[in-house]
Amino acid sequence: SAASGLGRRITKEDDFESSDDFSIVAVQGSGSVRSVHDLDEDANISRGTLVVASLMLFLIGFSYSIVIPTARQYAESLDAPESFEGYVVGVTPLGAALLMPLYRLMLKKSYAGCMHFQIACMQFGSVLYSLAQVANKVELLIAGRVLVGFGGSYYPVYQFIAEMVGKKHRSHVMGVCGVGRALGFCLGPVVAAILVYVDFHIGDLTINKETNAGWTVAIYCAFQTAMVVWYFPREGSKLVGRKRRQ
């Protein structure tokens, strides 16, 4: 079977943790596996998987930066203390750092599963962020951004690349993913500036320049979830948690 074949191809070098000195199999776009000794040079991921990885980095950067232009007005509308927008923006990467140990555990199980967890955190956190205006509670503002941060780590994608992409293709893959990350940070404030003109009500729910950022990220997360289901591999990391031989 594929699973038994996968196990047979892992060599005695499986005590090593570095992606350069540890030989593992890589799953190709066709679903086939490479031999452990071929990984260092020729292993690569499918174009669809690369697009999903790049879009994931885009989403994280986008979710970080889209709130920046309107964070001050939003905090003031909830009677938050002066300069409270600094906490709104800064607490997000803190959330990502706090969940690093959990990411490592999830990566052992499934790359796609870890990514789904990230997307769910960003989606629900963004909804909470937008609902803070309805509830008139600044605490929801912070809670939403912390939850977004829980899903906002770049580490899982980079770990995936380190394991699945050989040396010949790694520079290209990292470059494409770097473009996605940069565009996320760049387009977040631009989209926020455009969305200031979107202002309407659905019952008690207000869609305006303060809450648009959260709703936009939540909608994007739904799209990214479908992309992960369709393209991203479900197997877990073979390197995370491995101990280097003494």
Side-chain angles (χ1 to χ4, degrees), residues 59-224:
L59 171 59
I60 294 171
F62 187 77
S63 67
Y64 281 166
S65 64
I66 192 172
V67 303
I68 294 175
T70 57
R72 181 179 61 82
Q73 298 95 314
Y74 199 178
E76 288 177 353
S77 71
L78 299 176
D79 298 321
E82 186 176 354
S83 301
F84 192 79
E85 65 272 15
Y87 299 105
V88 174
V89 175
V91 76
T92 308
L94 176 62
L98 290 175
L99 247 64
M100 189 62 69
L102 182 58
Y103 282 133
R104 292 180 63 83
L105 291 175
M106 288 188 293
L107 284 172
K108 293 180 184 179
K109 301 295 184 181
S110 170
Y111 287 113
C114 182
M115 197 170 284
H116 282 304
F117 173 81
Q118 290 185 267
I119 295 170
C121 285
M122 286 187 280
Q123 187 171 42
F124 289 124
S126 297
V127 170
L128 275 182
Y129 178 83
S130 295
L131 291 178
Q133 190 173 74
V134 177
N136 195 30
K137 289 187 178 294
V138 73
E139 293 84 1
L140 279 183
L141 204 63
I142 293 296
R145 293 303 292 169
V146 170
L147 194 53
V148 169
F150 284 167
S153 174
Y154 296 103
Y155 163 64
V157 172
Y158 289 141
Q159 180 66 34
F160 173 77
I161 293 171
E163 290 195 39
M164 294 298 186
V165 181
K167 293 178 181 179
K168 285 185 178 180
H169 305 283
R170 200 171 293 159
S171 178
H172 169 71
V173 170
M174 291 294 289
V176 173
C177 288
V179 170
R181 177 175 176 171
L183 285 177
F185 277 107
C186 170
L187 293 181
V190 173
V191 172
I194 296 172
L195 291 176
V196 297
Y197 301 105
V198 177
D199 191 341
F200 61 93
H201 296 265
I202 303 176
D204 292 332
L205 186 64
T206 301
I207 313 295
N208 57 21
K209 63 181 180 181
E210 285 86 14
T211 62
N212 280 333
W215 297 124
T216 302
V217 172
I219 293 170
Y220 186 99
C221 285
F223 165 77
Q224 183 68 8

